[in-house]
Amino acid sequence: MAKIVAGQAGGLPLKQVPGTSTRPTTERTKEAIFSWLESRDWLEDNAVLDLYSGSGGLAVEAASRGAATVVGVESARPPARIAEDNAKTVNQALNRRVVTISQMPVQRFLGTTAPASWDLVIADPPYDIDEDELLAMIAQAFHILMDDGLFILERPYKAPEPAWPDDVYVVDARRYGEAMMYFVRRTGY
């Protein structure tokens, strides 16, 4: 059973998307990501965007651990409904509305978002995403990320590292099982 790992809503059960249409981040990986973020003060009172949100597991974990506002973006309706239910559960536990889910394609969401709107962007695209689409999403994500913000990308461990924009650098890259996590910032921060 999936659950929120830690924070104010830690231990709450989460609904999962039935079948194999989504690939939820494992609890071990989620704990590692959020421990990394908390140890560097990346969550408290920050605006977090969770792209390709699926059931919203990363979005609600960020809210539970102190993010000021969190938006999960998921294009498919069945996972978006589950994410909305998980957001409602966490918002009730926190006694305030922190998490919202936007059901639309990630590219459209990014294209309509003001520049420098987010402190932290987490992207967990489908492992079989087209390379051009992946690179376009990364470029758009850095456009809407604050100058001193952080971008996190999950990719399959065996996939080649993406071609990053010229003005960014990988702060850290870690393997968790079959997943590779890249923590990326703009040069100069």
Side-chain angles (χ1 to χ4, degrees):
M1 175 176 75
K3 63 181 168 86
I4 295 178
V5 177
Q8 286 182 299
L12 278 179
L14 297 174
K15 292 182 178 180
Q16 292 185 285
V17 179
T20 59
S21 63
T22 63
R23 177 193 29 78
T25 302
T26 67
E27 285 192 28
R28 178 178 167 256
T29 302
K30 195 173 8 173
E31 174 59 36
I33 293 166
F34 284 96
S35 291
W36 191 99
L37 291 168
E38 285 183 318
S39 71
R40 291 158 180 85
D41 200 28
W42 271 105
L43 287 172
E44 194 69 33
D45 298 324
N46 277 341
V48 178
L49 179 61
D50 176 21
L51 302 174
Y52 309 95
S53 196
S55 65
L58 295 175
V60 296
E61 189 74 32
S64 179
R65 295 186 187 226
T69 185
V70 182
V71 173
V73 181
E74 174 56 50
S75 64
R77 187 67 195 139
R81 283 189 186 134
I82 302 272
E84 288 166 354
D85 288 345
N86 287 334
K88 181 179 178 183
T89 298
V90 170
N91 289 338
Q92 287 175 342
L94 299 176
N95 292 317
R96 59 192 171 91
R97 187 171 179 180
V98 178
V99 184
T100 57
I101 303 300
S102 179
Q103 198 250 314
M104 70 170 58
V106 166
Q107 300 291 8
R108 186 171 62 173
F109 182 91
L110 291 171
T112 60
T113 301
S117 302
W118 300 94
D119 298 296
L120 172 62
V121 176
I122 303 171
D124 183 8
Y127 277 5
D128 62 352
I129 190 172
D130 175 77
E131 188 71 14
D132 290 337
E133 186 180 344
L134 174 67
L135 296 178
M137 179 274 296
I138 291 170
Q140 285 182 295
F142 275 99
H143 178 71
I144 57 115
L145 190 66
M146 292 187 183
D147 286 342
D148 61 346
L150 179 69
F151 175 73
I152 301 174
L153 177 68
E154 180 175 337
R155 297 297 300 138
Y157 172 69
K158 293 182 179 181
E161 184 172 343
W164 301 107
D166 290 338
D167 61 341
V168 306
Y169 70 102
V170 177
V171 175
D172 201 352
R174 296 181 180 224
R175 179 182 178 186
Y176 302 106
E178 295 302 311
M180 189 72 185
M181 304 301 299
Y182 297 96
F183 301 80
V184 187
R185 295 190 72 194
R186 281 197 176 84
T187 305
Y189 289 95

